[in-house]
Amino acid sequence: MLDRNKTALVIVDVQGKLASLMSDSETLYQNLSVMTQGAKALQLPVIWLEQLPDKLGPTIPQIAEHLTDQAPIAKNCFSGCQSIDFMDALVSTGCKNVLLVGIEAHICVYQTAMDLLRKGYHVEVISDAVSSRNAANKTVALNRMQQAGASISCTEMVLFELQGVAEGESFRQILNLIK
């Protein structure tokens, strides 16, 4: 079971026009918004990545509007772990569990997950909060990440797992998010 004191949310490259090309983008946007708000309610550290923001544009408003207290980390590599700024941010959280969401599942999310696993992190890929332009690519990516040792979860499951009890302000906030 995940411990909220040892878990961080990593949001990978949900930007601009590319985000709108994802398979089932409306559901993706909704789950990303819920994950972001849920992580904030649970007081998890959130690390937010953008791939070549000058070319791909900014993060979609459904995520960015909940992260106004911080800035994204720009990168040009597919794996977030190849970014010194990202690794410094992750290490500074002290978290060994990473909830991974974003796009594209078979490229940046996959490569970040593989590198995190190699570095000894426990990785939970949130299956309904990742996507690819082609749904088959997402399926292949989820299978490969799971075979490599990543756990596959979903938005509601992971938020309630981290919440643990049906009481408190964070519980009320999460309940309102999923209604």
Side-chain angles (χ1 to χ4, degrees):
M1 298 289 282
L2 293 169
D3 177 341
R4 71 166 86 176
N5 297 310
K6 298 176 184 172
T7 304
L9 174 65
V10 173
I11 303 169
V12 181
D13 307 343
V14 188
Q15 301 164 245
K17 291 181 184 175
L18 182 59
S20 69
L21 300 175
M22 294 302 109
S23 174
D24 197 11
S25 62
E26 286 184 32
T27 301
L28 173 69
Y29 291 1
Q30 174 61 28
N31 290 327
L32 286 164
S33 178
V34 169
M35 279 300 302
T36 304
Q37 293 175 78
K40 299 290 268 186
L42 292 163
Q43 299 181 328
L44 303 182
V46 177
I47 303 171
W48 167 24
L49 294 168
E50 288 184 341
Q51 176 77 13
L52 300 170
D54 55 322
K55 293 184 174 60
L56 295 180
T59 297
I60 62 171
Q62 293 88 332
I63 295 170
E65 68 189 13
H66 304 296
L67 298 172
T68 57
D69 59 336
Q70 65 187 96
I73 297 171
K75 65 181 182 68
N76 64 359
C77 41
F78 296 122
S79 170
C81 295
Q82 300 304 312
S83 163
I84 292 169
D85 291 339
F86 169 73
M87 286 309 303
D88 287 348
L90 182 57
V91 168
S92 75
T93 69
C95 296
K96 291 305 280 178
N97 302 319
V98 175
L99 307 178
L100 203 52
V101 300
I103 64 174
E104 283 195 71
H106 66 294
I107 303 171
C108 295
V109 173
Y110 168 75
Q111 290 186 33
T112 301
M114 297 302 281
D115 281 347
L116 287 168
L117 290 167
R118 277 193 285 277
K119 291 178 180 294
Y121 288 88
H122 171 77
V123 177
E124 296 261 342
V125 180
I126 311 307
S127 62
D128 57 359
V130 298
S131 193
S132 295
R133 286 165 289 154
N134 180 315
N137 288 340
K138 173 184 168 179
T139 300
V140 170
L142 290 173
N143 289 337
R144 290 278 307 272
M145 289 183 279
Q146 188 170 37
Q147 289 167 355
S151 296
I152 307 300
S153 193
C154 61
T155 298
E156 283 189 40
M157 182 178 184
V158 77
L159 291 176
F160 283 114
E161 180 178 336
L162 287 161
Q163 175 59 35
V165 295
E167 60 186 38
E169 181 57 30
S170 58
F171 172 69
R172 284 187 285 285
Q173 289 176 23
I174 291 168
L175 200 55
N176 286 331
L177 289 171
I178 62 159
K179 283 184 176 181

